[in-house]
Amino acid sequence: QTGLVVRAHDRAARTEVGMVAGTRGFIAPEQRTGGGASARSDVFSLGLTLHALATGATPLADPRAEAALLAGAPLPLSPE
């Protein structure tokens, strides 16, 4: 094994094991804190993506919401 997790076809940059890869506001909490990704992480990120598609913003757009989620608070969702 090379430690390589992902390599884009047209990029020289690599994602290394232990590095967090993803777009802020769409990453599951366990990935944000350096834990491993799982199918649950994918479902969580998909939910954030669907929320953003429906409302125009991820529920984690506000860094305070992300900090609260990491502290164990429920994720604030738009009533829209």
Side-chain angles (χ1 to χ4, degrees):
Q1 282 188 344
T2 64
L4 179 66
V5 176
V6 176
R7 182 167 185 214
H9 174 68
D10 59 346
R11 288 192 216 168
R14 295 179 181 187
T15 302
E16 299 292 333
V17 172
M19 299 295 292
V20 176
T23 303
R24 186 179 178 150
F26 294 92
I27 301 173
E30 60 272 20
Q31 289 177 281
R32 194 78 169 113
T33 58
S38 67
R40 291 175 54 166
S41 307
D42 291 340
V43 171
F44 187 88
S45 295
L46 176 60
L48 294 173
T49 301
L50 294 174
H51 185 281
L53 287 170
T55 66
T58 173
L60 298 179
D62 181 351
R64 292 173 295 186
E66 185 176 20
L69 177 67
L70 292 173
L75 183 63
L77 299 176
S78 171
E80 298 171 349

